[in-house]
Amino acid sequence: MLRSRRVGIATYRRLLNEHGSARNALDALPEVARSAGVAGYQVCPIGVVEAEFRAARAAGAFLLAQGSPDYPALLSEISDAPPLLWAIGRRDLLHRPMVALVGARNASSLGTRMAKALASELSQAGIVVVSGLARGIDTAAHLASLSDGTLAVQAGGVDVIYPAENTKLAEDIGKQGLRLSEMPMGVQPQARHFPARNRIISGLAQAVVVVEAAAKSGSLITARNALDQARDVLAVPGHPFDARAAGCNMLIRDGALLVRSAQDVIEAIGTIAPPQSTLALETPPEKPVRTLRETAALHSQILARLGPSPVAEDQLIRDLATSSSRVAPAIMDLELDGKIKRHAGGLLARVI
Protein backbone atom coordinates (compact mmCIF):
# COMPACT_ATOMS: atom_id res chain seq x y z
CA MET A 1 0.00 0.00 0.00
CA LEU A 2 2.82 2.43 0.82
CA ARG A 3 4.33 1.84 -2.61
CA SER A 4 1.06 2.63 -4.37
CA ARG A 5 0.62 5.90 -6.21
CA ARG A 6 -0.65 8.88 -4.16
CA VAL A 7 -0.46 6.95 -0.87
CA GLY A 8 1.70 8.82 1.62
CA ILE A 9 2.02 8.33 5.35
CA ALA A 10 -1.15 10.26 6.25
CA THR A 11 -3.21 8.48 3.60
CA TYR A 12 -1.76 5.11 4.62
CA ARG A 13 -2.84 5.58 8.23
CA ARG A 14 -6.24 6.96 7.28
CA LEU A 15 -6.94 3.98 5.02
CA LEU A 16 -5.97 1.55 7.78
CA ASN A 17 -8.24 3.35 10.25
CA GLU A 18 -11.13 3.42 7.81
CA HIS A 19 -10.86 -0.19 6.58
CA GLY A 20 -9.38 -2.04 9.53
CA SER A 21 -6.61 -3.93 7.76
CA ALA A 22 -4.08 -3.52 4.96
CA ARG A 23 -5.84 -6.16 2.85
CA ASN A 24 -9.21 -4.41 3.11
CA ALA A 25 -7.57 -1.03 2.43
CA LEU A 26 -5.83 -2.34 -0.70
CA ASP A 27 -9.06 -3.82 -1.97
CA ALA A 28 -10.86 -0.51 -1.40
CA LEU A 29 -8.10 1.75 -2.74
CA PRO A 30 -9.17 1.82 -6.44
CA GLU A 31 -12.72 2.78 -5.48
CA VAL A 32 -11.46 5.39 -2.99
CA ALA A 33 -9.27 6.87 -5.73
CA ARG A 34 -12.17 6.86 -8.17
CA SER A 35 -14.35 8.77 -5.70
CA ALA A 36 -11.54 11.34 -5.45
CA GLY A 37 -11.58 11.83 -9.21
CA VAL A 38 -8.69 9.53 -10.17
CA ALA A 39 -9.74 7.21 -12.98
CA GLY A 40 -8.09 3.90 -13.80
CA TYR A 41 -6.21 3.71 -10.49
CA GLN A 42 -4.18 0.57 -9.80
CA VAL A 43 -2.34 -0.38 -6.63
CA CYS A 44 1.38 -1.12 -6.75
CA PRO A 45 1.94 -4.47 -8.54
CA ILE A 46 3.13 -7.29 -6.31
CA GLY A 47 6.06 -7.82 -8.65
CA VAL A 48 7.44 -4.38 -7.77
CA VAL A 49 7.28 -5.21 -4.06
CA GLU A 50 8.91 -8.59 -4.60
CA ALA A 51 11.71 -6.94 -6.58
CA GLU A 52 12.29 -4.52 -3.70
CA PHE A 53 12.61 -7.40 -1.26
CA ARG A 54 15.09 -9.14 -3.56
CA ALA A 55 17.14 -5.93 -3.74
CA ALA A 56 17.03 -5.69 0.06
CA ARG A 57 18.31 -9.23 0.47
CA ALA A 58 21.11 -8.54 -1.99
CA ALA A 59 22.11 -5.43 -0.01
CA GLY A 60 21.86 -7.18 3.37
CA ALA A 61 19.02 -4.89 4.48
CA PHE A 62 16.26 -5.74 6.93
CA LEU A 63 12.84 -4.18 7.43
CA LEU A 64 11.67 -2.31 10.53
CA ALA A 65 7.91 -1.90 10.90
CA GLN A 66 6.38 0.60 13.29
CA GLY A 67 5.11 -1.29 16.32
CA SER A 68 7.76 -4.01 16.10
CA PRO A 69 10.21 -4.48 19.01
CA ASP A 70 13.20 -3.08 17.08
CA TYR A 71 11.45 0.04 15.78
CA PRO A 72 13.02 3.11 17.48
CA ALA A 73 10.80 4.09 20.40
CA LEU A 74 11.28 7.86 20.16
CA LEU A 75 10.74 7.89 16.40
CA SER A 76 7.44 6.11 16.86
CA GLU A 77 6.18 9.08 18.88
CA ILE A 78 6.31 11.68 16.09
CA SER A 79 3.12 12.38 14.17
CA ASP A 80 4.57 11.46 10.76
CA ALA A 81 6.73 8.50 11.78
CA PRO A 82 7.59 6.31 8.78
CA PRO A 83 5.56 3.07 8.94
CA LEU A 84 8.49 1.15 7.43
CA LEU A 85 12.26 1.60 7.45
CA TRP A 86 14.96 -0.32 5.61
CA ALA A 87 18.10 -0.83 7.69
CA ILE A 88 21.63 -2.13 7.17
CA GLY A 89 23.87 -2.82 10.15
CA ARG A 90 23.56 -3.39 13.88
CA ARG A 91 20.08 -3.81 15.38
CA ASP A 92 21.35 -3.34 18.92
CA LEU A 93 22.00 0.37 18.28
CA LEU A 94 18.24 0.91 17.95
CA HIS A 95 17.83 0.34 21.68
CA ARG A 96 20.45 2.81 22.87
CA PRO A 97 19.98 6.55 23.61
CA MET A 98 20.62 8.76 20.57
CA VAL A 99 21.76 12.32 19.95
CA ALA A 100 21.77 13.96 16.51
CA LEU A 101 24.77 16.00 15.37
CA VAL A 102 24.14 18.14 12.29
CA GLY A 103 25.78 21.10 10.62
CA ALA A 104 27.24 22.76 7.56
CA ARG A 105 28.47 20.85 4.53
CA ASN A 106 31.19 23.46 3.97
CA ALA A 107 32.33 23.15 7.56
CA SER A 108 35.26 25.10 8.94
CA SER A 109 38.30 23.43 10.47
CA LEU A 110 37.16 24.43 13.95
CA GLY A 111 33.63 23.19 13.29
CA THR A 112 34.92 19.84 12.07
CA ARG A 113 37.16 19.48 15.12
CA MET A 114 34.26 20.32 17.43
CA ALA A 115 31.98 17.80 15.72
CA LYS A 116 34.62 15.08 16.04
CA ALA A 117 35.21 15.85 19.72
CA LEU A 118 31.51 15.84 20.55
CA ALA A 119 30.80 12.66 18.56
CA SER A 120 33.74 10.78 20.04
CA GLU A 121 32.90 11.64 23.64
CA LEU A 122 29.17 11.02 23.23
CA SER A 123 29.69 7.62 21.60
CA GLN A 124 32.18 6.63 24.31
CA ALA A 125 29.47 7.49 26.84
CA GLY A 126 27.17 4.92 25.19
CA ILE A 127 25.15 7.38 23.13
CA VAL A 128 24.51 6.64 19.45
CA VAL A 129 25.45 9.62 17.26
CA VAL A 130 22.86 10.21 14.52
CA SER A 131 23.54 12.25 11.40
CA GLY A 132 22.75 12.41 7.69
CA LEU A 133 25.89 11.09 5.92
CA ALA A 134 26.40 14.47 4.21
CA ARG A 135 29.70 16.24 3.68
CA GLY A 136 31.25 18.36 6.42
CA ILE A 137 29.87 18.10 9.95
CA ASP A 138 27.88 14.90 9.26
CA THR A 139 30.95 13.11 7.92
CA ALA A 140 33.09 14.24 10.85
CA ALA A 141 30.46 13.07 13.36
CA HIS A 142 30.11 9.63 11.75
CA LEU A 143 33.86 9.08 11.49
CA ALA A 144 34.52 10.01 15.11
CA SER A 145 31.75 7.77 16.48
CA LEU A 146 32.11 4.85 14.08
CA SER A 147 33.91 2.48 16.42
CA ASP A 148 31.39 2.94 19.26
CA GLY A 149 28.21 3.14 17.18
CA THR A 150 26.84 5.69 14.74
CA LEU A 151 23.60 5.87 12.78
CA ALA A 152 23.23 7.43 9.33
CA VAL A 153 19.80 8.39 7.97
CA GLN A 154 19.83 8.45 4.18
CA ALA A 155 17.69 10.58 1.88
CA GLY A 156 17.56 7.97 -0.89
CA GLY A 157 17.35 4.20 -0.74
CA VAL A 158 19.44 2.57 1.97
CA ASP A 159 21.45 0.86 -0.78
CA VAL A 160 22.19 4.15 -2.61
CA ILE A 161 25.18 6.07 -1.24
CA TYR A 162 25.16 9.86 -1.52
CA PRO A 163 27.47 11.66 -1.80
CA ALA A 164 29.67 9.18 -3.66
CA GLU A 165 32.75 10.37 -1.78
CA ASN A 166 31.27 8.83 1.38
CA THR A 167 30.96 5.36 -0.13
CA LYS A 168 33.70 3.86 2.05
CA LEU A 169 32.28 5.57 5.15
CA ALA A 170 28.78 4.26 4.38
CA GLU A 171 30.12 0.73 3.93
CA ASP A 172 31.91 0.96 7.27
CA ILE A 173 28.75 2.26 8.96
CA GLY A 174 26.85 -0.72 7.52
CA LYS A 175 29.33 -3.02 9.28
CA GLN A 176 30.03 -1.16 12.53
CA GLY A 177 27.00 1.11 12.84
CA LEU A 178 23.59 1.36 11.22
CA ARG A 179 22.08 2.96 8.10
CA LEU A 180 18.37 3.73 7.83
CA SER A 181 16.01 4.96 5.11
CA GLU A 182 12.25 5.14 4.63
CA MET A 183 12.68 5.22 0.84
CA PRO A 184 12.27 2.17 -1.40
CA MET A 185 15.42 0.30 -2.31
CA GLY A 186 17.31 1.83 -5.22
CA VAL A 187 15.77 5.32 -5.00
CA GLN A 188 18.19 8.09 -5.96
CA PRO A 189 18.00 11.01 -3.52
CA GLN A 190 16.31 14.18 -4.78
CA ALA A 191 16.10 17.63 -3.20
CA ARG A 192 12.60 17.03 -1.80
CA HIS A 193 13.78 13.89 0.02
CA PHE A 194 16.14 15.74 2.36
CA PRO A 195 13.55 17.62 4.48
CA ALA A 196 11.78 14.29 5.00
CA ARG A 197 15.10 12.69 5.95
CA ASN A 198 15.74 15.49 8.46
CA ARG A 199 12.54 14.80 10.41
CA ILE A 200 13.75 11.21 10.96
CA ILE A 201 17.16 12.40 12.19
CA SER A 202 15.54 14.59 14.83
CA GLY A 203 12.79 12.07 15.56
CA LEU A 204 15.30 9.37 16.49
CA ALA A 205 17.20 11.55 18.93
CA GLN A 206 16.64 12.78 22.45
CA ALA A 207 18.38 16.01 21.46
CA VAL A 208 19.70 17.71 18.32
CA VAL A 209 23.08 19.47 18.43
CA VAL A 210 23.80 21.99 15.66
CA VAL A 211 27.55 22.45 15.29
CA GLU A 212 27.69 24.91 12.38
CA ALA A 213 24.84 26.27 10.27
CA ALA A 214 24.15 29.27 8.08
CA ALA A 215 21.08 31.41 8.72
CA LYS A 216 19.21 29.47 6.00
CA SER A 217 20.24 25.84 6.00
CA GLY A 218 19.01 22.27 6.20
CA SER A 219 20.43 22.03 9.72
CA LEU A 220 17.95 24.66 10.89
CA ILE A 221 15.15 22.62 9.31
CA THR A 222 16.29 19.71 11.47
CA ALA A 223 16.36 21.99 14.52
CA ARG A 224 12.84 23.22 13.77
CA ASN A 225 11.67 19.61 13.38
CA ALA A 226 13.24 18.83 16.75
CA LEU A 227 11.31 21.64 18.42
CA ASP A 228 8.07 20.48 16.80
CA GLN A 229 8.82 16.96 18.08
CA ALA A 230 9.49 18.22 21.65
CA ARG A 231 13.20 17.42 21.46
CA ASP A 232 15.92 19.53 23.06
CA VAL A 233 17.91 21.73 20.67
CA LEU A 234 21.51 22.63 21.46
CA ALA A 235 23.98 24.69 19.46
CA VAL A 236 27.70 25.42 19.38
CA PRO A 237 28.32 29.18 19.32
CA GLY A 238 30.55 30.75 16.69
CA HIS A 239 32.13 34.04 15.76
CA PRO A 240 29.57 36.67 14.68
CA PHE A 241 31.56 37.41 11.51
CA ASP A 242 31.46 33.75 10.35
CA ALA A 243 28.36 33.12 8.22
CA ARG A 244 28.60 29.43 9.04
CA ALA A 245 27.90 30.26 12.69
CA ALA A 246 24.93 32.57 12.06
CA GLY A 247 22.32 29.82 12.39
CA CYS A 248 23.80 28.48 15.63
CA ASN A 249 24.00 31.95 17.15
CA MET A 250 20.38 32.59 16.17
CA LEU A 251 19.31 29.33 17.85
CA ILE A 252 21.11 30.25 21.05
CA ARG A 253 19.56 33.72 20.98
CA ASP A 254 16.14 32.10 20.65
CA GLY A 255 16.65 29.73 23.58
CA ALA A 256 18.73 26.77 22.40
CA LEU A 257 21.18 25.42 24.98
CA LEU A 258 24.77 26.49 24.44
CA VAL A 259 27.24 23.62 23.96
CA ARG A 260 30.85 23.84 25.08
CA SER A 261 31.55 20.12 25.38
CA ALA A 262 29.90 16.71 25.28
CA GLN A 263 29.21 17.02 28.99
CA ASP A 264 26.73 19.83 28.27
CA VAL A 265 24.84 17.48 25.96
CA ILE A 266 24.93 14.58 28.42
CA GLU A 267 23.60 16.79 31.21
CA ALA A 268 20.80 18.06 28.95
CA ILE A 269 19.53 14.63 27.89
CA GLY A 270 19.90 13.34 31.43
CA THR A 271 16.88 15.45 32.37
CA ILE A 272 14.67 13.91 29.69
CA ALA A 273 12.24 11.21 30.86
CA PRO A 274 12.49 7.85 29.06
CA PRO A 275 9.97 7.43 26.20
CA GLN A 276 6.64 5.80 26.97
CA SER A 277 6.31 4.27 23.52
CA THR A 278 4.46 1.12 24.59
CA LEU A 279 1.74 3.12 26.32
CA ALA A 280 1.49 5.46 23.35
CA LEU A 281 1.05 2.55 20.95
CA GLU A 282 -1.60 0.91 23.13
CA THR A 283 -3.64 4.08 23.68
CA PRO A 284 -3.11 6.31 20.65
CA PRO A 285 -4.92 9.64 20.68
CA GLU A 286 -7.95 9.77 18.47
CA LYS A 287 -7.43 11.75 15.30
CA PRO A 288 -10.06 13.17 13.00
CA VAL A 289 -10.62 10.92 9.99
CA ARG A 290 -10.84 12.63 6.61
CA THR A 291 -11.64 11.06 3.27
CA LEU A 292 -9.26 11.31 0.34
CA ARG A 293 -11.69 13.74 -1.31
CA GLU A 294 -11.59 16.06 1.72
CA THR A 295 -7.81 15.84 1.87
CA ALA A 296 -7.48 16.60 -1.85
CA ALA A 297 -9.76 19.61 -1.41
CA LEU A 298 -7.66 20.91 1.49
CA HIS A 299 -4.47 20.45 -0.56
CA SER A 300 -6.03 22.47 -3.38
CA GLN A 301 -7.06 25.26 -0.99
CA ILE A 302 -3.54 25.47 0.45
CA LEU A 303 -1.88 25.55 -2.99
CA ALA A 304 -4.36 28.16 -4.21
CA ARG A 305 -3.35 30.51 -1.40
CA LEU A 306 0.38 30.06 -1.84
CA GLY A 307 2.67 31.49 -4.50
CA PRO A 308 6.41 31.89 -4.97
CA SER A 309 6.49 34.66 -2.34
CA PRO A 310 6.71 33.15 1.18
CA VAL A 311 3.70 33.45 3.48
CA ALA A 312 3.66 32.89 7.25
CA GLU A 313 2.15 29.52 8.18
CA ASP A 314 -0.06 31.02 10.89
CA GLN A 315 -1.38 33.56 8.36
CA LEU A 316 -2.20 30.72 5.95
CA ILE A 317 -4.11 28.91 8.70
CA ARG A 318 -6.09 32.08 9.46
CA ASP A 319 -6.87 32.54 5.76
CA LEU A 320 -8.17 28.98 5.57
CA ALA A 321 -10.34 29.61 8.66
CA THR A 322 -9.62 26.16 10.06
CA SER A 323 -7.57 24.60 12.85
CA SER A 324 -3.80 24.15 12.78
CA SER A 325 -4.24 20.46 13.68
CA ARG A 326 -6.13 20.02 10.40
CA VAL A 327 -3.79 22.08 8.22
CA ALA A 328 -0.40 20.94 9.60
CA PRO A 329 -0.58 17.33 8.27
CA ALA A 330 -1.69 18.62 4.85
CA ILE A 331 1.24 21.05 4.76
CA MET A 332 3.61 18.21 5.61
CA ASP A 333 2.12 16.05 2.81
CA LEU A 334 2.61 18.85 0.27
CA GLU A 335 6.13 19.55 1.54
CA LEU A 336 7.11 15.90 1.20
CA ASP A 337 5.56 15.85 -2.29
CA GLY A 338 7.78 18.79 -3.26
CA LYS A 339 4.80 21.06 -3.98
CA ILE A 340 5.57 23.61 -1.27
CA LYS A 341 8.82 24.73 0.32
CA ARG A 342 9.38 25.80 3.90
CA HIS A 343 11.59 28.82 4.53
CA ALA A 344 13.21 30.13 7.70
CA GLY A 345 10.92 31.90 10.14
CA GLY A 346 7.92 29.65 9.58
CA LEU A 347 7.30 30.85 6.01
CA LEU A 348 5.80 28.72 3.23
CA ALA A 349 5.96 29.13 -0.55
CA ARG A 350 4.60 27.17 -3.47
CA VAL A 351 7.10 25.44 -5.74
CA ILE A 352 6.36 26.70 -9.25
Side-chain angles (χ1 to χ4, degrees):
M1 184 158 60
L2 274 174
R3 299 299 184 250
S4 295
R5 185 166 52 98
R6 298 185 68 162
V7 178
I9 293 173
T11 302
Y12 168 86
R13 292 206 171 97
R14 185 166 59 253
L15 288 170
L16 285 181
N17 288 335
E18 290 176 356
H19 299 283
S21 71
R23 169 51 58 195
N24 291 341
L26 279 170
D27 291 342
L29 191 51
E31 179 58 35
V32 172
R34 189 178 303 112
S35 67
V38 180
Y41 185 90
Q42 293 184 334
V43 299
C44 177
I46 188 64
V48 173
V49 177
E50 291 172 342
E52 183 173 348
F53 273 90
R54 288 195 297 271
R57 285 194 294 271
F62 57 91
L63 196 62
L64 295 169
Q66 189 176 16
S68 67
D70 285 332
Y71 193 93
L74 279 176
L75 183 62
S76 187
E77 294 180 353
I78 70 173
S79 61
D80 52 351
L84 299 173
L85 290 165
W86 284 114
I88 296 176
R90 294 170 50 189
R91 288 178 184 264
D92 63 291
L93 298 184
L94 295 164
H95 303 285
R96 283 167 49 182
M98 301 183 191
V99 166
L101 259 62
V102 298
R105 286 175 169 81
N106 62 332
S108 68
S109 176
L110 282 175
T112 301
R113 285 166 54 192
M114 185 63 173
K116 288 181 177 179
L118 290 172
S120 176
E121 293 176 33
L122 288 171
S123 62
Q124 289 173 22
I127 297 169
V128 176
V129 173
V130 181
S131 201
L133 199 61
R135 300 180 181 93
I137 296 299
D138 289 20
T139 296
H142 287 310
L143 285 170
S145 57
L146 182 60
S147 60
D148 293 298
T150 189
L151 192 157
V153 184
Q154 298 174 232
V158 75
D159 56 336
V160 178
I161 308 305
Y162 179 86
E165 66 199 58
N166 276 349
T167 298
K168 176 63 166 58
L169 173 59
E171 291 172 351
D172 290 340
I173 293 174
K175 297 172 185 175
Q176 298 174 256
L178 186 68
R179 302 197 328 250
L180 291 180
S181 176
E182 68 175 330
M183 292 294 163
M185 301 295 294
V187 169
Q188 295 292 329
Q190 300 177 26
R192 62 188 176 88
H193 295 152
F194 289 91
R197 184 275 309 269
N198 291 345
R199 90 188 191 285
I200 298 177
I201 291 175
S202 56
L204 286 164
Q206 290 178 267
V208 172
V209 181
V210 185
V211 179
E212 271 188 343
K216 296 181 179 180
S217 66
S219 298
L220 294 193
I221 294 176
T222 308
R224 187 183 64 247
N225 288 337
L227 293 172
D228 292 342
Q229 296 162 353
R231 308 295 193 254
D232 274 8
V233 175
L234 303 90
V236 176
H239 196 285
F241 287 171
D242 188 346
R244 288 169 293 198
C248 291
N249 292 340
M250 286 168 51
L251 289 172
I252 294 170
R253 179 199 65 191
D254 294 338
L257 299 176
L258 187 148
V259 174
R260 300 161 298 176
S261 68
Q263 188 59 36
D264 291 333
V265 183
I266 293 170
E267 289 175 1
I269 67 172
T271 63
I272 301 174
Q276 301 295 323
S277 59
T278 302
L279 178 62
L281 286 173
E282 291 175 354
T283 56
E286 293 188 6
K287 297 181 180 179
V289 176
R290 296 192 305 274
T291 66
L292 284 181
R293 185 186 295 276
E294 291 170 336
T295 300
L298 180 56
H299 285 184
S300 297
Q301 292 171 26
I302 292 172
L303 292 174
R305 285 168 172 77
L306 290 177
S309 298
V311 174
E313 183 174 344
D314 56 353
Q315 181 61 53
L316 173 65
I317 293 171
R318 286 196 295 270
D319 291 344
L320 291 168
T322 187
S323 65
S324 60
S325 62
R326 181 170 181 260
V327 177
I331 290 175
M332 177 62 73
D333 288 345
L334 293 169
E335 188 176 1
L336 295 180
D337 285 343
K339 294 179 180 178
I340 65 175
K341 182 178 181 181
R342 191 180 291 273
H343 296 267
L347 301 178
L348 302 170
R350 184 171 180 175
V351 176
I352 303 300

